Amino acid sequence: MNTDIWVAFIVAFGVIFAAVISVVLTARYKNNRINQNNESIPLERRKAINGNWEGEIDQDPGKKPEITNYPVFIRLNADERTIDGEMRWKVPVDGKDTEFYFSIQNGQFFHGRFLRLNYTPDDKATVQFGTLILKLNETGNSMDGKQAGYGKTTGDVVKGSLKIDKAK
């Protein structure tokens, strides 16, 4: 092979390598920027947060007064700075229970006991979202707090209280 082909090969490899490094560093920078203000979650509290939770949401009556109290199931996974997970709940829609599924991403932990969890639907075509503000009790087996968001079924802003316990 002549020198021109080797130079072209080395330049092409360098361009590809630089592009890959750029993508990796950009993703890492964005992730660090999102998490830089999150408090570190102590290992004991991570252990308490991680796992399955179940309880009820007591939603304030709104446009759909039949949707006021319904079961909620949450699975959480806390790492050093964020909390991710999934959530589902059952609400009566036109006389039958309907399940809704949500993702929880980039949740935050504050002052050793408070969680802020934003949820969005797994079905991206659905307009429904919200936030849970929860207080983890001292023993780490129960949380209570507030929920606010936009409800697909009600077609309105919703709010309520919830209490969840660590599933056995």
Side-chain angles (χ1 to χ4, degrees):
M1 264 198 228
N2 69 28
T3 307
D4 291 341
I5 292 175
W6 277 107
V7 169
F9 178 74
I10 291 170
V11 168
F13 179 77
V15 168
I16 292 170
F17 181 75
V20 169
I21 292 297
S22 174
V23 168
V24 169
L25 291 177
T26 300
R28 190 171 206 179
Y29 169 76
K30 285 182 180 178
N31 191 38
N32 285 341
R33 202 176 84 227
I34 289 169
N35 299 334
Q36 72 184 355
N37 294 324
N38 291 2
E39 291 183 20
S40 179
I41 304 172
L43 181 60
E44 297 78 32
R45 297 311 260 173
R46 274 186 270 164
K47 287 179 181 177
I49 293 167
N50 289 343
N52 296 318
W53 297 82
E54 51 189 45
E56 288 189 341
I57 293 180
D58 186 17
Q59 186 170 297
D60 293 347
K63 291 183 177 180
K64 299 265 186 176
E66 67 273 15
I67 303 176
T68 56
N69 189 284
Y70 49 91
V72 62
F73 307 91
I74 302 173
R75 177 177 294 128
L76 296 175
N77 181 41
D79 64 23
E80 213 171 282
R81 293 203 177 271
T82 61
I83 304 165
D84 295 323
E86 50 195 42
M87 175 173 67
R88 70 181 162 88
W89 59 51
K90 284 185 189 179
V91 297
V93 177
D94 299 326
K96 69 174 196 165
D97 282 345
T98 303
E99 287 191 327
F100 292 90
Y101 296 87
F102 304 92
S103 294
I104 297 169
Q105 296 177 337
N106 294 317
Q108 296 173 295
F109 190 69
F110 301 98
H111 305 289
R113 63 180 182 242
F114 300 103
L115 290 80
R116 178 172 50 204
L117 306 173
N118 295 320
Y119 60 88
T120 56
D122 287 351
D123 176 6
K124 298 305 176 199
T126 300
V127 179
Q128 187 167 3
F129 55 89
T131 300
L132 305 175
I133 304 293
L134 299 167
K135 181 171 71 171
L136 181 64
N137 72 355
E138 290 297 319
T139 59
N141 63 358
S142 180
M143 291 191 253
D144 61 71
K146 301 292 182 182
Q147 172 254 351
Y150 181 82
K152 172 190 174 195
T153 308
T154 61
D156 202 3
V157 173
V158 295
K159 63 184 172 115
S161 299
L162 72 151
K163 179 166 179 19
I164 55 176
D165 295 311
K166 190 87 175 250
K168 305 265 187 247

PDB file of all heavy atoms in Angstrom, residues 1-2 5 8 13-14 21 30 36 41 47 53 59 73 81-82 109 111 117 125 128 130 141 145 151 157-159 164:
ATOM      1  N   MET A   1       0.836  -1.182   0.000  1.00  0.00           N
ATOM      2  CA  MET A   1       0.000   0.000   0.000  1.00  0.00           C
ATOM      3  C   MET A   1       0.873   1.234   0.000  1.00  0.00           C
ATOM      4  O   MET A   1       1.893   1.266   0.670  1.00  0.00           O
ATOM      5  CB  MET A   1      -0.843   0.032   1.274  1.00  0.00           C
ATOM      6  CG  MET A   1      -2.217  -0.521   1.109  1.00  0.00           C
ATOM      7  SD  MET A   1      -3.236   0.027   2.458  1.00  0.00           S
ATOM      8  CE  MET A   1      -3.958  -1.502   2.927  1.00  0.00           C
ATOM      9  N   ASN A   2       0.378   2.228  -0.700  1.00  0.00           N
ATOM     10  CA  ASN A   2       1.207   3.430  -0.724  1.00  0.00           C
ATOM     11  C   ASN A   2       0.850   4.338   0.452  1.00  0.00           C
ATOM     12  O   ASN A   2      -0.129   4.125   1.159  1.00  0.00           O
ATOM     13  CB  ASN A   2       1.099   4.142  -2.080  1.00  0.00           C
ATOM     14  CG  ASN A   2      -0.263   4.762  -2.311  1.00  0.00           C
ATOM     15  OD1 ASN A   2      -0.932   5.128  -1.375  1.00  0.00           O
ATOM     16  ND2 ASN A   2      -0.647   4.884  -3.572  1.00  0.00           N
ATOM     17  N   ILE A   5      -2.773   6.042   0.889  1.00  0.00           N
ATOM     18  CA  ILE A   5      -3.846   5.189   1.398  1.00  0.00           C
ATOM     19  C   ILE A   5      -3.737   5.051   2.915  1.00  0.00           C
ATOM     20  O   ILE A   5      -4.735   5.125   3.628  1.00  0.00           O
ATOM     21  CB  ILE A   5      -3.801   3.799   0.713  1.00  0.00           C
ATOM     22  CG1 ILE A   5      -4.160   3.962  -0.771  1.00  0.00           C
ATOM     23  CG2 ILE A   5      -4.748   2.835   1.395  1.00  0.00           C
ATOM     24  CD1 ILE A   5      -4.027   2.689  -1.573  1.00  0.00           C
ATOM     25  N   ALA A   8      -4.941   8.285   4.486  1.00  0.00           N
ATOM     26  CA  ALA A   8      -6.404   8.371   4.408  1.00  0.00           C
ATOM     27  C   ALA A   8      -7.041   7.446   5.445  1.00  0.00           C
ATOM     28  O   ALA A   8      -8.024   7.809   6.107  1.00  0.00           O
ATOM     29  CB  ALA A   8      -6.880   8.018   3.005  1.00  0.00           C
ATOM     30  N   PHE A  13      -9.988   6.811  10.475  1.00  0.00           N
ATOM     31  CA  PHE A  13     -10.073   6.207  11.802  1.00  0.00           C
ATOM     32  C   PHE A  13     -10.115   7.285  12.884  1.00  0.00           C
ATOM     33  O   PHE A  13     -10.892   7.199  13.826  1.00  0.00           O
ATOM     34  CB  PHE A  13      -8.887   5.266  12.037  1.00  0.00           C
ATOM     35  CG  PHE A  13      -8.906   4.633  13.388  1.00  0.00           C
ATOM     36  CD1 PHE A  13      -9.771   3.578  13.663  1.00  0.00           C
ATOM     37  CD2 PHE A  13      -8.078   5.106  14.405  1.00  0.00           C
ATOM     38  CE1 PHE A  13      -9.795   2.997  14.919  1.00  0.00           C
ATOM     39  CE2 PHE A  13      -8.106   4.532  15.665  1.00  0.00           C
ATOM     40  CZ  PHE A  13      -8.969   3.482  15.924  1.00  0.00           C
ATOM     41  N   GLY A  14      -9.305   8.308  12.738  1.00  0.00           N
ATOM     42  CA  GLY A  14      -9.283   9.417  13.704  1.00  0.00           C
ATOM     43  C   GLY A  14     -10.611  10.147  13.766  1.00  0.00           C
ATOM     44  O   GLY A  14     -11.090  10.507  14.839  1.00  0.00           O
ATOM     45  N   ILE A  21     -16.021   9.411  20.723  1.00  0.00           N
ATOM     46  CA  ILE A  21     -15.642  10.057  21.988  1.00  0.00           C
ATOM     47  C   ILE A  21     -16.547  11.255  22.254  1.00  0.00           C
ATOM     48  O   ILE A  21     -16.983  11.480  23.385  1.00  0.00           O
ATOM     49  CB  ILE A  21     -14.155  10.480  21.963  1.00  0.00           C
ATOM     50  CG1 ILE A  21     -13.256   9.242  21.958  1.00  0.00           C
ATOM     51  CG2 ILE A  21     -13.807  11.385  23.130  1.00  0.00           C
ATOM     52  CD1 ILE A  21     -13.386   8.374  23.191  1.00  0.00           C
ATOM     53  N   LYS A  30     -24.265  15.544  30.006  1.00  0.00           N
ATOM     54  CA  LYS A  30     -25.693  15.794  30.231  1.00  0.00           C
ATOM     55  C   LYS A  30     -26.173  15.051  31.467  1.00  0.00           C
ATOM     56  O   LYS A  30     -26.917  15.600  32.273  1.00  0.00           O
ATOM     57  CB  LYS A  30     -26.512  15.376  29.007  1.00  0.00           C
ATOM     58  CG  LYS A  30     -26.409  16.334  27.865  1.00  0.00           C
ATOM     59  CD  LYS A  30     -27.271  15.882  26.701  1.00  0.00           C
ATOM     60  CE  LYS A  30     -27.151  16.858  25.545  1.00  0.00           C
ATOM     61  NZ  LYS A  30     -27.951  16.409  24.403  1.00  0.00           N
ATOM     62  N   GLN A  36     -26.151  16.697  39.129  1.00  0.00           N
ATOM     63  CA  GLN A  36     -25.201  17.401  39.964  1.00  0.00           C
ATOM     64  C   GLN A  36     -25.843  18.060  41.172  1.00  0.00           C
ATOM     65  O   GLN A  36     -25.204  18.223  42.201  1.00  0.00           O
ATOM     66  CB  GLN A  36     -24.417  18.432  39.154  1.00  0.00           C
ATOM     67  CG  GLN A  36     -25.215  19.650  38.741  1.00  0.00           C
ATOM     68  CD  GLN A  36     -24.409  20.570  37.859  1.00  0.00           C
ATOM     69  OE1 GLN A  36     -23.244  20.342  37.631  1.00  0.00           O
ATOM     70  NE2 GLN A  36     -25.045  21.606  37.364  1.00  0.00           N
ATOM     71  N   ILE A  41     -27.567   9.774  48.071  1.00  0.00           N
ATOM     72  CA  ILE A  41     -28.511   8.969  48.848  1.00  0.00           C
ATOM     73  C   ILE A  41     -27.706   7.955  49.657  1.00  0.00           C
ATOM     74  O   ILE A  41     -27.026   7.094  49.082  1.00  0.00           O
ATOM     75  CB  ILE A  41     -29.507   8.246  47.920  1.00  0.00           C
ATOM     76  CG1 ILE A  41     -30.226   9.259  47.020  1.00  0.00           C
ATOM     77  CG2 ILE A  41     -30.514   7.446  48.740  1.00  0.00           C
ATOM     78  CD1 ILE A  41     -31.087   8.624  45.942  1.00  0.00           C
ATOM     79  N   LYS A  47     -31.280   1.245  50.384  1.00  0.00           N
ATOM     80  CA  LYS A  47     -31.818  -0.087  50.663  1.00  0.00           C
ATOM     81  C   LYS A  47     -33.296   0.002  51.042  1.00  0.00           C
ATOM     82  O   LYS A  47     -34.086  -0.859  50.667  1.00  0.00           O
ATOM     83  CB  LYS A  47     -31.022  -0.769  51.780  1.00  0.00           C
ATOM     84  CG  LYS A  47     -29.657  -1.228  51.357  1.00  0.00           C
ATOM     85  CD  LYS A  47     -28.926  -1.866  52.538  1.00  0.00           C
ATOM     86  CE  LYS A  47     -27.533  -2.315  52.161  1.00  0.00           C
ATOM     87  NZ  LYS A  47     -26.812  -2.877  53.322  1.00  0.00           N
ATOM     88  N   TRP A  53     -43.493  -1.272  46.368  1.00  0.00           N
ATOM     89  CA  TRP A  53     -44.341  -0.522  47.290  1.00  0.00           C
ATOM     90  C   TRP A  53     -45.786  -0.633  46.809  1.00  0.00           C
ATOM     91  O   TRP A  53     -46.033  -0.663  45.610  1.00  0.00           O
ATOM     92  CB  TRP A  53     -43.924   0.950  47.313  1.00  0.00           C
ATOM     93  CG  TRP A  53     -42.539   1.172  47.819  1.00  0.00           C
ATOM     94  CD1 TRP A  53     -41.376   1.061  47.120  1.00  0.00           C
ATOM     95  CD2 TRP A  53     -42.172   1.527  49.140  1.00  0.00           C
ATOM     96  NE1 TRP A  53     -40.307   1.332  47.914  1.00  0.00           N
ATOM     97  CE2 TRP A  53     -40.759   1.624  49.168  1.00  0.00           C
ATOM     98  CE3 TRP A  53     -42.882   1.790  50.308  1.00  0.00           C
ATOM     99  CZ2 TRP A  53     -40.070   1.969  50.324  1.00  0.00           C
ATOM    100  CZ3 TRP A  53     -42.187   2.132  51.456  1.00  0.00           C
ATOM    101  CH2 TRP A  53     -40.786   2.213  51.465  1.00  0.00           C
ATOM    102  N   GLN A  59     -57.551  10.593  45.605  1.00  0.00           N
ATOM    103  CA  GLN A  59     -57.581  11.745  44.702  1.00  0.00           C
ATOM    104  C   GLN A  59     -58.759  12.656  45.036  1.00  0.00           C
ATOM    105  O   GLN A  59     -59.858  12.184  45.304  1.00  0.00           O
ATOM    106  CB  GLN A  59     -57.697  11.253  43.261  1.00  0.00           C
ATOM    107  CG  GLN A  59     -57.582  12.353  42.228  1.00  0.00           C
ATOM    108  CD  GLN A  59     -57.467  11.759  40.843  1.00  0.00           C
ATOM    109  OE1 GLN A  59     -56.502  11.064  40.552  1.00  0.00           O
ATOM    110  NE2 GLN A  59     -58.444  12.011  40.002  1.00  0.00           N
ATOM    111  N   PHE A  73     -49.208   0.737  42.737  1.00  0.00           N
ATOM    112  CA  PHE A  73     -48.082  -0.168  42.910  1.00  0.00           C
ATOM    113  C   PHE A  73     -46.856   0.506  42.314  1.00  0.00           C
ATOM    114  O   PHE A  73     -46.898   0.953  41.168  1.00  0.00           O
ATOM    115  CB  PHE A  73     -48.351  -1.499  42.201  1.00  0.00           C
ATOM    116  CG  PHE A  73     -49.652  -2.116  42.610  1.00  0.00           C
ATOM    117  CD1 PHE A  73     -50.805  -1.839  41.904  1.00  0.00           C
ATOM    118  CD2 PHE A  73     -49.727  -2.949  43.712  1.00  0.00           C
ATOM    119  CE1 PHE A  73     -52.027  -2.388  42.285  1.00  0.00           C
ATOM    120  CE2 PHE A  73     -50.934  -3.506  44.093  1.00  0.00           C
ATOM    121  CZ  PHE A  73     -52.086  -3.221  43.379  1.00  0.00           C
ATOM    122  N   ARG A  81     -27.391   8.787  43.354  1.00  0.00           N
ATOM    123  CA  ARG A  81     -27.960  10.129  43.269  1.00  0.00           C
ATOM    124  C   ARG A  81     -29.365  10.215  42.673  1.00  0.00           C
ATOM    125  O   ARG A  81     -29.988  11.263  42.764  1.00  0.00           O
ATOM    126  CB  ARG A  81     -27.042  11.039  42.451  1.00  0.00           C
ATOM    127  CG  ARG A  81     -25.727  11.301  43.121  1.00  0.00           C
ATOM    128  CD  ARG A  81     -25.123  12.595  42.604  1.00  0.00           C
ATOM    129  NE  ARG A  81     -23.895  12.883  43.286  1.00  0.00           N
ATOM    130  CZ  ARG A  81     -23.793  13.585  44.410  1.00  0.00           C
ATOM    131  NH1 ARG A  81     -24.851  14.071  44.965  1.00  0.00           N
ATOM    132  NH2 ARG A  81     -22.629  13.798  44.963  1.00  0.00           N
ATOM    133  N   THR A  82     -29.855   9.172  42.056  1.00  0.00           N
ATOM    134  CA  THR A  82     -31.176   9.251  41.429  1.00  0.00           C
ATOM    135  C   THR A  82     -32.022   8.037  41.764  1.00  0.00           C
ATOM    136  O   THR A  82     -31.524   7.012  42.208  1.00  0.00           O
ATOM    137  CB  THR A  82     -31.080   9.362  39.892  1.00  0.00           C
ATOM    138  OG1 THR A  82     -30.427   8.206  39.382  1.00  0.00           O
ATOM    139  CG2 THR A  82     -30.349  10.615  39.455  1.00  0.00           C
ATOM    140  N   PHE A 109     -33.810  12.784  45.975  1.00  0.00           N
ATOM    141  CA  PHE A 109     -33.916  12.502  47.402  1.00  0.00           C
ATOM    142  C   PHE A 109     -33.358  13.701  48.155  1.00  0.00           C
ATOM    143  O   PHE A 109     -32.272  14.194  47.827  1.00  0.00           O
ATOM    144  CB  PHE A 109     -33.111  11.242  47.724  1.00  0.00           C
ATOM    145  CG  PHE A 109     -33.318  10.714  49.103  1.00  0.00           C
ATOM    146  CD1 PHE A 109     -34.526  10.154  49.469  1.00  0.00           C
ATOM    147  CD2 PHE A 109     -32.287  10.756  50.024  1.00  0.00           C
ATOM    148  CE1 PHE A 109     -34.708   9.639  50.747  1.00  0.00           C
ATOM    149  CE2 PHE A 109     -32.457  10.240  51.302  1.00  0.00           C
ATOM    150  CZ  PHE A 109     -33.669   9.689  51.658  1.00  0.00           C
ATOM    151  N   HIS A 111     -32.780  15.724  52.075  1.00  0.00           N
ATOM    152  CA  HIS A 111     -32.756  15.817  53.536  1.00  0.00           C
ATOM    153  C   HIS A 111     -32.978  14.478  54.247  1.00  0.00           C
ATOM    154  O   HIS A 111     -33.581  14.423  55.312  1.00  0.00           O
ATOM    155  CB  HIS A 111     -33.771  16.851  54.026  1.00  0.00           C
ATOM    156  CG  HIS A 111     -33.588  18.188  53.395  1.00  0.00           C
ATOM    157  ND1 HIS A 111     -32.521  19.013  53.688  1.00  0.00           N
ATOM    158  CD2 HIS A 111     -34.321  18.830  52.440  1.00  0.00           C
ATOM    159  CE1 HIS A 111     -32.610  20.113  52.956  1.00  0.00           C
ATOM    160  NE2 HIS A 111     -33.676  20.026  52.194  1.00  0.00           N
ATOM    161  N   LEU A 117     -40.602  12.320  42.757  1.00  0.00           N
ATOM    162  CA  LEU A 117     -40.636  11.375  41.657  1.00  0.00           C
ATOM    163  C   LEU A 117     -41.554  11.892  40.556  1.00  0.00           C
ATOM    164  O   LEU A 117     -42.754  12.079  40.792  1.00  0.00           O
ATOM    165  CB  LEU A 117     -41.153  10.013  42.147  1.00  0.00           C
ATOM    166  CG  LEU A 117     -40.431   9.398  43.350  1.00  0.00           C
ATOM    167  CD1 LEU A 117     -41.147   8.148  43.815  1.00  0.00           C
ATOM    168  CD2 LEU A 117     -38.979   9.116  43.015  1.00  0.00           C
ATOM    169  N   ALA A 125     -48.195   8.056  23.533  1.00  0.00           N
ATOM    170  CA  ALA A 125     -49.289   8.769  22.873  1.00  0.00           C
ATOM    171  C   ALA A 125     -50.295   9.318  23.887  1.00  0.00           C
ATOM    172  O   ALA A 125     -51.141  10.146  23.550  1.00  0.00           O
ATOM    173  CB  ALA A 125     -49.999   7.856  21.884  1.00  0.00           C
ATOM    174  N   GLN A 128     -50.640  12.270  29.935  1.00  0.00           N
ATOM    175  CA  GLN A 128     -50.821  12.048  31.363  1.00  0.00           C
ATOM    176  C   GLN A 128     -49.443  12.087  31.996  1.00  0.00           C
ATOM    177  O   GLN A 128     -48.506  11.461  31.498  1.00  0.00           O
ATOM    178  CB  GLN A 128     -51.495  10.699  31.613  1.00  0.00           C
ATOM    179  CG  GLN A 128     -51.871  10.465  33.042  1.00  0.00           C
ATOM    180  CD  GLN A 128     -52.810   9.279  33.191  1.00  0.00           C
ATOM    181  OE1 GLN A 128     -53.139   8.593  32.241  1.00  0.00           O
ATOM    182  NE2 GLN A 128     -53.241   9.034  34.411  1.00  0.00           N
ATOM    183  N   GLY A 130     -47.168  13.526  35.945  1.00  0.00           N
ATOM    184  CA  GLY A 130     -47.294  14.148  37.257  1.00  0.00           C
ATOM    185  C   GLY A 130     -46.060  13.970  38.108  1.00  0.00           C
ATOM    186  O   GLY A 130     -45.019  13.485  37.654  1.00  0.00           O
ATOM    187  N   ASN A 141     -40.094   1.695  55.926  1.00  0.00           N
ATOM    188  CA  ASN A 141     -41.084   0.735  55.434  1.00  0.00           C
ATOM    189  C   ASN A 141     -42.407   1.367  55.024  1.00  0.00           C
ATOM    190  O   ASN A 141     -43.349   0.670  54.664  1.00  0.00           O
ATOM    191  CB  ASN A 141     -41.332  -0.363  56.475  1.00  0.00           C
ATOM    192  CG  ASN A 141     -41.918   0.187  57.761  1.00  0.00           C
ATOM    193  OD1 ASN A 141     -42.119   1.396  57.905  1.00  0.00           O
ATOM    194  ND2 ASN A 141     -42.180  -0.688  58.702  1.00  0.00           N
ATOM    195  N   GLY A 145     -47.499  11.042  51.174  1.00  0.00           N
ATOM    196  CA  GLY A 145     -47.229  12.303  50.504  1.00  0.00           C
ATOM    197  C   GLY A 145     -48.356  12.747  49.604  1.00  0.00           C
ATOM    198  O   GLY A 145     -49.519  12.376  49.808  1.00  0.00           O
ATOM    199  N   GLY A 151     -54.468  14.261  34.469  1.00  0.00           N
ATOM    200  CA  GLY A 151     -55.075  12.948  34.313  1.00  0.00           C
ATOM    201  C   GLY A 151     -55.723  12.751  32.959  1.00  0.00           C
ATOM    202  O   GLY A 151     -56.517  13.592  32.511  1.00  0.00           O
ATOM    203  N   VAL A 157     -56.278  18.787  35.525  1.00  0.00           N
ATOM    204  CA  VAL A 157     -55.244  18.711  36.546  1.00  0.00           C
ATOM    205  C   VAL A 157     -55.843  17.984  37.744  1.00  0.00           C
ATOM    206  O   VAL A 157     -56.983  18.250  38.136  1.00  0.00           O
ATOM    207  CB  VAL A 157     -54.749  20.117  36.940  1.00  0.00           C
ATOM    208  CG1 VAL A 157     -53.793  20.054  38.112  1.00  0.00           C
ATOM    209  CG2 VAL A 157     -54.096  20.799  35.743  1.00  0.00           C
ATOM    210  N   VAL A 158     -55.077  17.044  38.306  1.00  0.00           N
ATOM    211  CA  VAL A 158     -55.540  16.261  39.449  1.00  0.00           C
ATOM    212  C   VAL A 158     -54.555  16.392  40.592  1.00  0.00           C
ATOM    213  O   VAL A 158     -53.385  16.711  40.389  1.00  0.00           O
ATOM    214  CB  VAL A 158     -55.719  14.768  39.075  1.00  0.00           C
ATOM    215  CG1 VAL A 158     -56.812  14.596  38.049  1.00  0.00           C
ATOM    216  CG2 VAL A 158     -54.420  14.173  38.563  1.00  0.00           C
ATOM    217  N   LYS A 159     -55.057  16.135  41.804  1.00  0.00           N
ATOM    218  CA  LYS A 159     -54.187  16.140  42.976  1.00  0.00           C
ATOM    219  C   LYS A 159     -54.780  15.208  44.009  1.00  0.00           C
ATOM    220  O   LYS A 159     -55.976  14.897  43.973  1.00  0.00           O
ATOM    221  CB  LYS A 159     -54.022  17.544  43.546  1.00  0.00           C
ATOM    222  CG  LYS A 159     -55.298  18.169  44.048  1.00  0.00           C
ATOM    223  CD  LYS A 159     -55.071  19.583  44.513  1.00  0.00           C
ATOM    224  CE  LYS A 159     -56.408  20.225  44.825  1.00  0.00           C
ATOM    225  NZ  LYS A 159     -56.600  20.574  46.191  1.00  0.00           N
ATOM    226  N   ILE A 164     -48.122   4.627  50.902  1.00  0.00           N
ATOM    227  CA  ILE A 164     -47.659   3.345  50.377  1.00  0.00           C
ATOM    228  C   ILE A 164     -46.776   2.675  51.422  1.00  0.00           C
ATOM    229  O   ILE A 164     -46.107   3.337  52.221  1.00  0.00           O
ATOM    230  CB  ILE A 164     -46.903   3.494  49.038  1.00  0.00           C
ATOM    231  CG1 ILE A 164     -45.740   4.483  49.149  1.00  0.00           C
ATOM    232  CG2 ILE A 164     -47.860   3.905  47.928  1.00  0.00           C
ATOM    233  CD1 ILE A 164     -44.892   4.591  47.890  1.00  0.00           C
TER     234      ILE A 164
END
